[in-house]
Amino acid sequence: MYQAQEIWKKRVKAYWKMAIRYLSLIGNSGFLFAIYIAIFVGSYYYSELLKWLPVWFPDKLFLALVTAFLLTNSPIRPFVKQGDLVFLSPVEGKLNAYFRASYYYSFFIQSIIILFVMILLAPLYRHFNVAGAYSLLFIIVVLFTSKAWNLLVQWEEGRLLFTNSRLAHKIGRFMVNIVLTYLLFIGAVVYFLIAGFVIKGLLLFCYYQHVKKHHSLKWEYLIEIEERMVMSFYRIANMFTDVPKLQTKVRKRRLISSIPNLLPFNQNAMFTYLYMKSFIRANDYFGIYVRLLLIGIALICYVQFPYGKVFIALLIVYMSGLQLLTLWNHHTSKIWLDLYPIDFQQRKKSFSLVVFFLLTLKTVLFTFFTLIASTQLIDGLLVLGIGFTESYFFAMKGTYKGKKETP
Amino acid sequence: MTILLELNGVSGGYHKGQFVIDNLSFSVNKGEMVGLIGLNGAGKSTTIKHILGLMEAQKGEIFIKQKKFLEAPNEYRFSYSYIPETPILYEDLTLQEHLTVTAMAYGLSEAELQERSTNLLKEFRMEKMLHWFPGYFSKGMRQKVMIMCAFLLRPPLYIVDEPFIGLDPIAIKSLLNHLVAMKEKGAGILMSTHILSTAERYCDRFIMLHHGKIIVEGTMKELRQKTNMPGAALDDIYIEITKEG
């Protein structure tokens, strides 16, 4: 149907317009610079890692697992909206072209991901497989073909009524995929691969056609998938900038979230209490904070080049600082903040205090691990000194946030 | 009679010179419940935003306890409590933490929080939900959180915007009982609502807004006289005077 395809195009365009805007924001943030550095340093350690890996490392199983996982997870981006439940579902029969477009689109995007991962894993593959192995190009072609199959099959699985049966099918599919990818990576004779594809073809034409015939399209599930996929993009973007549309996921974290209860019970502590609670529970601020902390500690223990530890520590405090500043916007849409009989200055002060506390805590931990891992005392002192200054800088920057001065 | 809230020729809106509310003058006294009545888009919420200090009047003045907002913003904010039309909650705070944050913000002691919240939780049947997050609340429960936060405080003025939607009958009764109790203790209440039968029973006076202007105000008796509709109910008067043309 001509109109349906028009709608599809419009929606894809709208999505990418939004996505590109966020991507350019990410590109302009200092965060990307940090990632460049990470790639630069990472590639050096990658080659070191390869030298260090023992001969008995199960490289083929590892590669097979990673690719099987990528293949098994094959959602078709449906590009549907809540309203379609009412307006588009009645013309479901005429929407073949619409979903076919979604299929090609998803195939394209997910193939790029496969390509990217394979480029990343190529050195590992080359390292272990000198002769008698399939060429990378051949492997990629096989993976693409398999992706096409997985997308088709997962779409039909979406018709199933229960989450459990969908999961069971997915596990089954993972088995089929890993057998194929394992055969591929151990360089099995091509007939094995052909047999694998014949089995896949039979499954598709016999079993999954049967599923298609007996189950209707589950529109609510499609909307759920769409929202999940958009949200996962928002969540990534949210690490760099504030995404207002992000439906925030709240985690209880009972134990840690009781820490702010220790604050004094008065007006001055109120915003500190609020920002601490939100930091711990909302938007995964806490999760990212901890992940960066652990990555930092691991790198500090491993990195050996001069001042490497200092550099890593400061880089991570910087990344953490950028992320924490977005906490300011977390409550800005709440009318209450403007109604409480508390000065705007006090609110900024409380926010800065939270930022300063969290970054200083990180700095102190990094200093501790640097002192343990380094032979040079100066490394530890540098981390402490500069890290502290950095934390102070972010805390001050925090107070300049929100130029809107409500009287 | 002590005047708590006073509006003097207040005009304002979202664009310069385009008034959503036009030349409003009215007051709310101590121990009085005043109903702010109007159709959708009549300017009720805009009026309330002006009173809260969220919007600045382009003309005229607003006083709470003889003080203008800009003279002492925190003192001004301290003297009212507000129940919004749609509940605005912190998605990452539990019910208990909502009460705590409110108590902290308004400088209550922990003992006061404890005592008042225990009563409120019992009255609004929310004791079991004390550690729940708003994500698990129904519309009515969310509204109850707003109501409990408002009654945790004992300000001289309550501003209540369309509070009944989504509440079950028991909660409506509790809310009204609370409002009456506060009124009897000397608080003033400005309540905007569409539920006219309830307004008629509980409000002492009415202000009827239409297209941003006050078209008629007074007690039930005065309204009947002014519209020449003896014995009429508030609904009838309201429908009669808002007839177009």
Side-chain angles (χ1 to χ4, degrees):
Chain A
M1 202 165 89
Y2 174 72
Q3 272 174 319
Q5 268 166 303
E6 284 302 304
I7 296 174
W8 189 87
K9 274 185 200 155
K10 222 182 249 172
R11 287 181 180 177
V12 173
K13 238 184 231 165
Y15 171 76
W16 277 100
K17 210 171 152 191
M18 178 278 293
I20 283 168
R21 217 174 291 157
Y22 276 119
L23 289 173
S24 67
L25 264 176
I26 294 170
N28 289 331
S29 74
F31 216 85
L32 198 65
F33 175 70
I35 285 180
Y36 287 146
I37 302 278
I39 291 174
F40 182 69
V41 176
S43 60
Y44 169 74
Y45 279 93
Y46 189 14
S47 64
E48 289 294 300
L49 180 80
L50 286 183
K51 277 183 225 157
W52 173 81
L53 277 180
V55 245
W56 48 262
F57 179 77
D59 62 304
K60 294 173 185 74
L61 188 63
F62 174 77
L63 288 167
L65 268 172
V66 172
T67 46
F69 178 77
L70 278 178
L71 289 177
T72 309
N73 194 23
S74 297
I76 289 183
R77 174 76 191 271
F79 286 105
V80 291
K81 291 182 174 178
Q82 202 76 47
D84 295 349
L85 215 51
V86 180
F87 297 104
L88 275 190
S89 66
V91 289
E92 187 185 311
K94 296 177 181 168
L95 287 177
N96 281 337
Y98 188 94
F99 290 126
R100 201 175 306 128
S102 285
Y103 174 80
Y104 289 129
Y105 170 91
S106 306
F107 177 71
F108 179 70
I109 299 281
Q110 292 176 28
S111 295
I112 289 177
I113 294 173
I114 288 182
L115 191 66
F116 185 74
V117 172
M118 281 320 292
I119 289 171
L120 205 68
L121 291 177
L124 178 74
Y125 181 67
R126 288 262 166 74
H127 182 75
F128 283 96
N129 300 281
V130 191
Y134 284 119
S135 74
L136 264 175
L137 189 69
F138 179 75
I139 288 176
I140 288 170
V141 169
V142 172
L143 290 178
F144 281 3
T145 321
S146 197
K147 185 78 200 176
W149 178 80
N150 275 282
L151 279 163
L152 272 179
V153 169
Q154 185 164 338
W155 175 258
E156 305 303 349
E157 282 170 13
R159 296 174 183 270
L160 297 169
L161 196 53
F162 303 110
T163 325
N164 277 350
S165 48
R166 272 184 228 132
L167 185 69
H169 279 76
K170 204 166 187 179
I171 292 170
R173 200 148 45 79
F174 180 77
M175 298 297 180
V176 176
N177 282 326
I178 196 161
V179 168
L180 185 83
T181 53
Y182 189 69
L183 289 171
L184 185 65
F185 283 111
I186 60 169
V189 188
V190 82
Y191 297 115
F192 279 108
L193 300 180
I194 293 171
F197 274 108
V198 169
I199 290 170
K200 284 187 168 193
L202 285 175
L203 273 175
L204 182 62
F205 288 112
C206 302
Y207 179 68
Y208 283 101
Q209 287 302 315
H210 174 81
V211 171
K212 188 177 180 175
K213 240 177 246 161
H214 289 268
H215 298 280
S216 61
L217 210 53
K218 301 292 179 287
W219 278 85
E220 284 182 326
Y221 179 63
L222 289 187
I223 290 165
E224 197 187 311
I225 294 176
E226 172 77 17
E227 280 172 0
R228 211 185 300 154
M229 292 176 90
V230 176
M231 281 305 137
S232 67
F233 174 75
Y234 281 158
R235 221 163 294 146
I236 294 169
N238 199 55
M239 291 198 271
F240 305 90
T241 170
D242 186 62
V243 182
K245 273 193 201 148
L246 192 75
Q247 292 165 358
T248 54
K249 210 184 203 170
V250 176
R251 283 169 212 277
K252 288 179 187 156
R253 306 199 212 274
R254 248 169 251 255
L255 211 62
I256 307 167
S257 68
S258 63
I259 293 173
N261 297 351
L262 302 172
L263 286 164
F265 195 89
N266 60 37
Q267 280 183 303
N268 286 348
M270 181 255 148
F271 275 112
T272 316
Y273 178 90
L274 182 63
Y275 284 125
M276 283 299 284
K277 289 266 179 191
S278 302
F279 164 74
I280 293 165
R281 293 202 185 120
N283 264 2
D284 215 20
Y285 289 107
F286 181 75
I288 292 170
Y289 178 85
V290 171
R291 259 171 270 158
L292 282 175
L293 181 72
L294 295 179
I295 292 171
I297 290 172
L299 287 175
I300 284 172
C301 294
Y302 270 98
V303 167
Q304 292 303 344
F305 58 86
Y307 298 113
K309 295 173 198 300
V310 179
F311 180 72
I312 296 287
L314 300 179
L315 187 69
I316 296 220
V317 171
Y318 179 74
M319 287 163 86
S320 230
L322 280 181
Q323 188 240 343
L324 280 178
L325 288 187
T326 60
L327 181 62
W328 172 265
N329 296 325
H330 185 61
H331 290 302
T332 37
S333 62
K334 299 271 183 294
I335 186 179
W336 301 118
L337 270 66
D338 296 321
L339 295 187
Y340 293 137
I342 297 176
D343 285 331
F344 189 63
Q345 288 303 327
Q346 180 61 41
R347 177 156 127 207
K348 292 206 284 190
K349 230 159 84 186
S350 304
F351 178 70
S352 293
L353 185 73
V354 171
V355 171
F356 186 67
F357 168 74
L358 291 170
L359 292 181
T360 315
L361 180 68
K362 203 168 244 187
T363 304
V364 169
L365 287 169
F366 283 162
T367 308
F368 175 74
F369 281 97
T370 312
L371 286 175
I372 290 179
S374 171
T375 48
Q376 244 86 35
L377 181 67
I378 185 77
D379 279 358
L381 293 179
L382 277 175
V383 171
L384 186 66
I386 309 179
F388 192 77
T389 318
E390 218 175 348
S391 310
Y392 185 75
F393 163 77
F394 273 109
M396 291 319 289
K397 205 170 168 185
T399 56
Y400 289 116
K401 278 244 158 185
K403 283 185 186 117
K404 184 197 79 171
E405 176 97 23
T406 41
Chain B
M1 222 179 330
T2 330
I3 295 175
L4 272 179
L5 168 71
E6 191 179 5
L7 276 77
N8 257 336
V10 173
S11 300
Y14 302 88
H15 302 284
K16 195 168 190 278
Q18 289 178 22
F19 298 142
V20 177
I21 51 172
D22 194 0
N23 200 17
L24 297 189
S25 298
F26 66 86
S27 61
V28 176
N29 301 316
K30 249 183 112 163
E32 187 183 42
M33 196 184 306
V34 176
L36 187 62
I37 316 284
L39 297 171
N40 297 327
K44 298 184 303 282
S45 291
T46 310
T47 309
I48 287 175
K49 276 187 199 163
H50 277 83
I51 297 171
L52 295 177
L54 291 174
M55 285 177 79
E56 205 175 309
Q58 294 180 31
K59 274 188 208 159
E61 291 165 317
I62 301 172
F63 300 93
I64 295 182
K65 289 172 80 183
Q66 281 84 47
K67 283 248 161 59
K68 282 200 257 184
F69 177 71
L70 284 175
E71 286 171 20
N74 287 340
E75 200 183 315
Y76 184 97
R77 287 178 181 133
F78 201 81
S79 52
Y80 66 75
S81 172
Y82 168 57
I83 302 176
E85 184 183 6
T86 33
I88 305 159
L89 279 78
Y90 300 108
E91 297 302 320
D92 37 30
L93 295 190
T94 63
L95 166 55
Q96 187 179 39
E97 287 159 358
H98 275 88
L99 297 170
T100 305
V101 161
T102 311
M104 282 170 97
Y106 289 83
L108 263 62
S109 72
E110 279 186 274
E112 281 171 313
L113 167 66
Q114 186 61 35
E115 188 219 318
R116 291 179 193 174
S117 63
T118 311
N119 292 335
L120 286 167
L121 286 164
K122 203 170 163 196
E123 171 136 32
F124 286 96
R125 295 157 193 254
M126 293 287 279
E127 290 146 307
K128 280 186 197 144
M129 295 81 171
L130 196 56
H131 300 289
W132 289 21
F133 286 92
Y136 299 97
F137 287 167
S138 67
K139 165 85 177 32
M141 289 181 193
R142 293 171 82 92
Q143 187 67 11
K144 283 181 186 177
V145 179
M146 295 288 91
I147 294 167
M148 286 190 284
C149 286
F151 285 123
L152 205 54
L153 315 171
R154 299 281 156 84
L157 178 67
Y158 288 87
I159 298 162
V160 187
D161 194 357
E162 197 64 75
F164 305 116
I165 296 169
L167 288 182
D168 59 60
I170 298 173
I172 291 179
K173 187 72 193 150
S174 297
L175 168 64
L176 287 166
N177 286 345
H178 255 93
L179 288 172
V180 170
M182 292 302 140
K183 188 182 103 166
E184 278 164 4
K185 281 183 190 159
I189 296 156
L190 179 69
M191 180 166 75
S192 134
T193 183
H194 280 137
I195 317 289
L196 296 184
S197 52
T198 311
E200 183 174 346
R201 270 175 68 193
Y202 285 88
C203 293
D204 303 299
R205 276 195 298 128
F206 305 89
I207 294 153
M208 296 213 171
L209 277 185
H210 199 51
H211 296 315
K213 290 187 174 128
I214 297 177
I215 40 172
V216 64
E217 66 172 313
T219 60
M220 265 323 280
K221 205 174 145 193
E222 287 165 344
L223 290 185
R224 285 180 187 133
Q225 275 171 4
K226 283 178 189 170
T227 53
N228 206 10
M229 295 170 73
L234 189 60
D235 326 38
D236 301 323
I237 297 176
Y238 178 68
I239 289 163
E240 185 57 37
I241 59 174
T242 51
K243 261 185 193 161
E244 299 286 335

